[in-house]
């Protein structure tokens, strides 16, 4: 990939992700997708990236702590990752 192609890809990603003014707006959008479509948080994020034709690696700055924790919890429940220590509530 040439330098011009890399700049174009970066610019395209910036335009697509500018729809959200903050990671909190993106989190709300993903929450709405999860509730509307009855899918997991990870599936919602992947679906958004596929729909907009952008790499998942390019939206890391849009994933806030709350959304990250929801994705992690789903992964732990599905045994996709080892559970981290949880305090008994």
């Amino acid at each position: 990939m040439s330098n011009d192609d890399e700049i174009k890809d970066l610019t395209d990603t910036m335009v697509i992700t500018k729809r959200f003014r903050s990671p909190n707006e993106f989190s709300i959008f993903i929450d709405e997708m999860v509730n509307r479509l009855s899918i997991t948080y990870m599936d919602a994020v992947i679906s958004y990236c596929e729909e907009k034709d952008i790499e998942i690696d390019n939206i890391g700055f849009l994933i806030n702590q709350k959304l990250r924790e929801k994705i992690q919890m789903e992964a732990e429940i599905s045994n996709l990752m080892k559970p981290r220590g949880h305090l008994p509530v």
Side-chain angles (χ1 to χ4, degrees), residues 22-65:
S22 70
N24 289 338
E25 282 188 12
F26 183 69
S27 181
I28 291 168
F29 175 80
I30 295 297
D31 278 335
E32 290 170 355
M33 271 184 79
V34 166
N35 292 325
R36 189 177 69 248
L37 302 174
S38 297
I39 58 177
T40 66
Y41 285 93
M42 182 56 81
D43 287 339
V45 171
I46 292 169
S47 176
Y48 174 78
C49 290
E50 287 175 350
E51 178 183 310
K52 300 299 182 185
D53 194 32
I54 56 176
E55 295 291 324
I56 292 174
D57 295 344
N58 294 333
I59 64 159
F61 67 96
L62 286 175
I63 310 269
N64 65 10
Q65 186 63 32

Side-chain angles (χ1 to χ4, degrees), residues 65-81:
Q65 186 63 32
K66 186 176 177 182
L67 182 55
R68 188 178 314 274
E69 288 172 359
K70 290 176 182 179
I71 292 170
Q72 182 171 350
M73 188 62 69
E74 285 180 343
E76 289 174 8
I77 290 169
S78 300
N79 292 322
L80 297 174
M81 66 183 298

